[in-house]
Amino acid sequence: METSKISPSWLVLITVLFSLVIVSCNGSSTDQKVYVVYMGDRPKGEFSATSQHMSMLQATLGSQRAKDSWLHSYKRSFNGFVAKLTEEEKNKIASLDGVVSIFRSTKKQLHTTRSWDFLGFPLNVQRATTESDVVIGMLDTGIWPESASFNDTGYGPPPSKWKGSCQSSSNFSCNK
């Protein structure tokens, strides 16, 4: 009876390929990203946001995985939560009743007068002429009015339909 021998180079190649298959299967299932799960308006009356969100995660992911995944529940302004999810988990949760949308949580650099850049729109896109009539409000984040980010060089006057006013003080002066 004749036995066939497998050359060492074939054994190495088969081992490497098998290892790559195992790593790629495991890698895709554990590749977690942080997502915001938006569920619309906050329910009226007594409502435990964290309890509802954790129950949803437990039913979808299992108890331990839900505990490891959950990061934060929004409790005051809207109904939603933040969790570390794989792509497959994100898709499962997105298909549940009550889930409006799921989007990646990303960190944005705060800007003041360059909203177009802040939103991440490309500069070379064709823009509408009406956008120059849009006034964007300012969030009070403990800002310094003399900061270069408030430089109004290159801006025209405020739109004629704007009915706001500037309340200047001895600490700073108004710009456009």
Side-chain angles (χ1 to χ4, degrees):
M1 179 173 207
E2 189 176 311
T3 60
S4 61
K5 290 186 175 181
I6 300 176
S7 73
S9 60
W10 277 106
L11 283 175
V12 170
L13 180 63
I14 291 170
T15 304
V16 168
L17 289 174
F18 185 70
S19 298
L20 287 174
V21 167
I22 290 173
V23 168
S24 69
C25 288
N26 288 339
S28 64
S29 65
T30 60
D31 187 23
Q32 300 173 10
K33 293 179 175 65
V34 178
Y35 291 94
V36 176
V37 179
Y38 175 64
M39 300 173 68
D41 291 337
R42 187 181 182 285
K44 306 285 186 239
E46 286 297 312
F47 165 70
S48 173
T50 303
S51 177
Q52 180 197 29
H53 303 152
M54 189 56 76
S55 293
M56 178 183 281
L57 283 171
Q58 287 172 344
T60 309
L61 311 177
S63 293
Q64 186 59 46
R65 178 71 188 105
K67 190 172 123 184
D68 295 340
S69 173
W70 178 85
L71 296 173
H72 176 76
S73 284
Y74 294 99
K75 301 174 184 175
R76 292 182 177 83
S77 55
F78 64 92
N79 186 13
F81 62 95
V82 182
K84 290 184 291 186
L85 304 168
T86 65
E87 185 72 21
E88 182 181 331
E89 292 168 341
K90 177 197 80 139
N91 292 335
K92 280 183 187 177
I93 291 173
S95 69
L96 297 175
D97 285 339
V99 175
V100 176
S101 65
I102 296 183
F103 53 91
R104 284 278 309 273
S105 177
T106 58
K107 197 173 210 173
K108 297 286 187 181
Q109 179 65 38
L110 181 62
H111 295 277
T112 54
T113 58
R114 308 286 188 219
S115 297
W116 194 261
D117 300 332
F118 176 75
L119 295 172
F121 292 115
L123 295 176
N124 59 353
V125 71
Q126 186 174 8
R127 299 180 178 180
T129 56
T130 56
E131 81 179 33
S132 62
D133 291 336
V134 175
V135 176
I136 307 278
M138 179 185 77
L139 299 175
D140 182 1
T141 58
I143 52 154
W144 180 51
E146 289 78 19
S147 170
S149 64
F150 290 105
N151 183 338
D152 60 358
T153 303
Y155 285 98
S160 59
K161 68 180 181 180
W162 186 62
K163 303 300 180 210
S165 65
C166 177
Q167 298 173 347
S168 62
S169 71
S170 60
N171 299 27
F172 69 95
S173 60
C174 297
N175 63 14
K176 298 177 186 169

